[in-house]
Amino acid sequence: MTATKQPRTGSANHVDVVIVGAGISGVGSAYHLQQQCPDKSYVILEMKDTFGGTWETHKYPGVRSDSDLYTFGYRFKPWVGTPIASAKEILKYMGEVIDENGIAPHIRYGHRITGCSWSSKDNLWTVEATRVSDKSIVMFTCSFLWMCQGYYDHEKPYIPDWPGMDKYKGRLIHAQLWDPKIDYTDKRVLVIGSGATAATVIPAFAEKAAHVTMLQRSPTYFFCSENKNELADRLRQIGIDEPTIHRVVRAQIMYDQDMMTRRCKAEPDVVFEELKALIRHYAGQDFQFEPHFTPRYRVWQQRLAFCPEGDVFKAAAAGKLSVFIDNLQTSTEKGVRTASGEEIEADIVVAATGFRLSVMGDIPFAVDGKRVNWHDTVTYRGMMFTGVPNLLWVFGYFRASWTLRVDMLGDFVCNLLKHMDETGAKRVEVALRDEDGGMQLLPWIEADNFNPGYLMRGLDQLPRRGDKAEWRHNQDYWAERVEIPETDLDGAEFLYDGGRSGGSRKVQKIQVA
Ligand SMILES: Cc1cc2nc3c(=O)[nH]c(=O)nc-3n(C[C@H](O)[C@H](O)[C@H](O)COP(=O)(O)OP(=O)(O)OC[C@H]3O[C@@H](n4cnc5c(N)ncnc54)[C@H](O)[C@@H]3O)c2cc1C
């Protein structure tokens, strides 16, 4: 625990479950808990003064999803808008979920969690929250901690340190900290970075700015398409109800994505040619892909940037966008200078340079008085961690919609809690089994599977994985949709009240290199 010198507000509040964070994961998890375990009491602790998480934090021009809302939306609430949605539309959808299900009274806004400690004597978590309004400490106890705090720091984004930043006389801002009051009309805007954020802000800036320049270290793959789903539109036209449309269109999109992922691995060159054909449809047949739009990594190793209506390429074809592939060397008074000596002048420099990883919300954790170092733990399917009882982290998918895993893990946690109630168990943790002895421990995620910068920069803070399905975080929705619902909760990897259901109490020691 950290801020123990601050005033406290009486004795600890006790609930069965504390959900950390009121983003799309926390709200979805609360829904599942209410539906599937109606007798459990719970509270959502959220440091901001409103819900939404990612969709509330980001306010840059054009902020929108890059996956479709049929699958990014929850399985239980039909999405009725265009597939790609603005942050405003996503917040409205989340607000409806909160209202329709009476979730609001369970949310404590303005509560930043500043410490979590587990006691095996009491089989309880004690959660220390600092109330943002008056810095007072509010204590909670709970039997289960459902970590829905996301994966990045909402307050401090990642800006690489480059020389001469203080020389620049214009405005330098990270996209995550963008203030909607900034007027970029007729201004020269330089966007540093080329990922999904850059793909979103560039066409939005291009509408009003004098000119937009993108400085990228390496190019990104883009998928251009109309922002509509023909199957959904057709089903609506013939009078099919929205819940059915939601179910069918989700199935269609997931099938198509599965095919696309397989093809990206099996025939990456063919897929790239198809992606280029889609771009030409919007930018013209003469559009030049070399060198600015020819990535160096395999398609799908990082998120494929979605480009609704080919907006980035329309801006490029209209001469409103210039692109440089180069390393930023230094800021100058008027903009930046690249490694090859080019000076790019700009009135506003927008760093779309990514996130700062935040493992478990940067909250200090302790188990029976001993500080948890997450890198010393081994992950069970990217959701539970050896040596840390009664806790689950909702870490969604990157290649498929994040929220698919929110629904899936909602079922998992509720099944686990019901199983514990049925058997009278108070404590569950995961532990390596006899057959896992000597298993090599590896970084959280394989670099050739998925390698965004913020994860690669933070591998030493993240839990480790093994090389067996149970101990991996495979980011494979299509495998997990079969494996996770079929989990044998009496399997040898689960310890209840310190012992195995099957009788064997032998636990493999974890070898941390
Ligand atoms: C700009 C952007 C666009 C994205 N687009 C997509 C997309 O189209 N599709 C997709 O699948 N994924 C997308 N992602 C990934 C996205 O982050 C997830 O899809 C999803 O929104 C994450 O939701 P979450 O609730 O798990 O976490 P978050 O949205 O990060 O919410 C976590 C919440 O926890 C709170 N919190 C954190 N620490 C504490 C603490 N110590 N105490 C109290 N509260 C705390 C935060 O304030 C926040 O409200 C996008 C990400 C970004 C940044």
Side-chain angles (χ1 to χ4, degrees), residues 181-386:
K181 290 195 208 96
I182 300 173
D183 183 12
Y184 52 90
T185 313
D186 297 331
K187 301 262 166 50
R188 296 162 304 167
V189 181
L190 167 63
V191 177
I192 297 174
S194 59
T197 304
T200 306
V201 288
I202 284 167
F205 282 135
E207 279 176 21
K208 285 203 287 174
H211 192 75
V212 183
T213 305
M214 172 167 74
L215 173 60
Q216 54 177 0
R217 261 198 320 213
S218 61
T220 299
Y221 287 102
F222 287 89
F223 180 80
C224 296
S225 165
E226 289 178 297
N227 188 11
K228 66 179 195 182
N229 182 292
E230 282 176 10
L231 177 60
D233 293 345
R234 181 77 183 119
L235 292 173
R236 258 177 216 128
Q237 191 184 33
I238 61 173
I240 304 297
D241 61 280
E242 288 296 342
T244 306
I245 295 174
H246 193 60
R247 213 177 62 246
V248 171
V249 172
R250 274 163 75 86
Q252 176 226 0
I253 292 170
M254 289 190 275
Y255 176 85
D256 290 349
Q257 283 176 353
D258 186 21
M259 286 300 118
M260 180 70 164
T261 305
R262 284 166 200 263
R263 290 190 57 229
C264 285
K265 286 185 180 150
E267 41 180 20
D269 297 339
V270 178
V271 172
F272 187 29
E273 287 309 314
E274 290 172 8
L275 295 176
K276 284 189 198 167
L278 291 171
I279 291 171
R280 286 193 193 100
H281 174 74
Y282 293 100
Q285 292 306 313
D286 305 335
F287 190 79
Q288 285 302 312
F289 290 89
E290 288 288 352
H292 299 131
F293 295 100
T294 305
R296 295 180 207 134
Y297 57 91
R298 274 194 291 128
V299 62
W300 222 239
Q301 249 176 346
Q302 296 195 10
R303 234 183 219 287
L304 192 57
F306 188 76
C307 193
E309 316 292 341
D311 53 10
V312 172
F313 297 93
K314 281 187 195 160
K320 292 181 152 188
L321 170 67
S322 313
V323 182
F324 288 82
I325 300 182
D326 212 335
N327 283 315
L328 196 165
Q329 193 172 56
T330 176
S331 284
T332 63
E333 276 190 20
K334 293 181 177 169
V336 301
R337 179 164 294 109
T338 67
S340 58
E342 189 95 37
E343 181 170 21
I344 306 171
E345 294 186 4
D347 305 305
I348 304 176
V349 174
V350 181
T353 41
F355 308 113
R356 197 187 71 76
L357 181 72
S358 164
V359 178
M360 301 290 174
D362 293 325
I363 300 165
F365 273 77
V367 171
D368 294 328
K370 192 164 174 268
R371 177 82 186 250
V372 176
N373 177 354
W374 293 102
H375 197 54
D376 290 347
T377 70
V378 182
T379 184
Y380 170 76
R381 298 187 187 276
M383 54 162 128
M384 291 171 77
F385 310 94
T386 52

Side-chain angles (χ1 to χ4, degrees), residues 24-25 46-47 53-55 66-67 72 113 154 303 355 402:
I24 200 140
S25 302
E46 168 55 59
M47 64 185 183
T54 292
W55 306 101
D66 60 351
S67 56
F72 190 74
I113 299 180
H154 282 250
R303 234 183 219 287
F355 308 113
W402 181 274

Side-chain angles (χ1 to χ4, degrees), residues 19-28 44-60 63-69 71-72 74 83-85 87 90 94 108-116 127-130 132 147-155 176 196-197 200 303 306 355 358 360-364 393-404 406 454:
I19 296 175
V20 182
I24 200 140
S25 302
V27 171
I44 303 180
L45 299 178
E46 168 55 59
M47 64 185 183
K48 290 166 176 272
D49 57 7
T50 185
F51 62 87
T54 292
W55 306 101
E56 199 281 325
T57 295
H58 290 83
K59 298 189 168 70
Y60 52 72
V63 57
R64 56 155 174 84
S65 69
D66 60 351
S67 56
D68 74 277
L69 260 289
T71 61
F72 190 74
Y74 305 111
I84 299 300
I90 297 171
M94 287 179 67
R108 305 278 181 95
Y109 291 116
H111 282 65
R112 180 192 293 269
I113 299 180
T114 38
C116 294
V127 177
E128 177 192 272
T130 303
V132 176
M147 300 300 297
C148 297
Q149 79 299 331
Y151 58 96
Y152 66 90
D153 188 328
H154 282 250
E155 289 155 345
Q176 189 178 318
T197 304
T200 306
R303 234 183 219 287
F306 188 76
F355 308 113
S358 164
M360 301 290 174
D362 293 325
I363 300 165
W393 181 15
V394 178
F395 193 102
Y397 295 112
F398 287 104
R399 277 189 278 258
S401 280
W402 181 274
T403 327
L404 294 168
V406 175
Y454 55 91

